[in-house]
Amino acid sequence: MKPINPSINATSAAAITLAKATLVAGLLVAIAPAVALGEPIEKKGTTPYVTHFIFKPLMSIDISGLGTATTLEAVGTTQNMKGEKMLDKMSAHCTALNVASGDKKYIDGACVLTDSDGDKIFSTFDTRDLDKSQPKMDCGTHIITGGTGKYKGITGSEPFACITMPAPAGPGGYFAMDIPHNTTWEIK
């Protein structure tokens, strides 16, 4: 039997093809974010990571009889020690004040960790604030104060240790440290 109107059949076939293509495109749009993001960030947890830092002295003030205050800039990258996504392969940028007055020596500062998506975690740190329940983390504590993107609402505590590394070559007074952290965080 001959179709009554061949252009109607061609139009129907084109409409079906278009509908299938639209369904496939819609499915890809729905699935692509999950594939691109991979594992979601946990809402809370504990993880060890190390930041590999290079410190650059910016300015130093010597006050006779009192001591020295030096501003520092530190840059580095993070490495999650369990191979997890959280706090892994992030860039770290910190500003600090290093005070040496008599037998008192401490460093206070603030840091930003940025992941490959541009999302950030903010923290402050104090080398006088030691977590006595973690004696190996004997250098100070970071306090996570917030974040952006997937880290919005993050808080936490990061006791840390300080491991002196060989100084980078060249002038400028640069020095290097590995800073292992035991981080406990929660995103609300």
Side-chain angles (χ1 to χ4, degrees), residues 122-157:
F122 307 112
S123 68
T124 60
F125 66 91
D126 184 338
T127 59
R128 294 165 290 183
D129 181 12
L130 300 178
D131 182 343
K132 296 190 187 319
S133 72
Q134 297 186 52
K136 289 185 179 182
M137 298 295 152
D138 60 357
C139 199
T141 301
H142 277 266
I143 301 299
I144 299 173
T145 60
T148 66
K150 67 180 88 52
Y151 308 112
K152 185 175 174 124
I154 192 169
T155 58
S157 177

Side-chain angles (χ1 to χ4, degrees), residues 40-87:
I41 295 292
E42 297 291 327
K43 292 298 181 185
K44 66 183 194 174
T46 300
T47 195
Y49 77 97
V50 174
T51 306
H52 308 286
F53 271 121
I54 302 292
F55 288 84
K56 174 185 176 182
L58 299 175
M59 182 179 82
S60 189
I61 298 173
D62 293 315
I63 300 174
S64 180
L66 182 60
T68 305
T70 304
T71 55
L72 302 168
E73 178 179 35
V75 295
T77 57
T78 65
Q79 176 183 3
N80 184 299
M81 302 313 290
K82 291 195 224 172
E84 298 169 340
K85 184 176 178 180
M86 185 65 170
L87 299 164

Side-chain angles (χ1 to χ4, degrees), residues 6-21:
S7 65
I8 291 176
N9 285 343
T11 303
S12 296
I16 290 171
T17 301
L18 180 61
K20 286 180 182 176

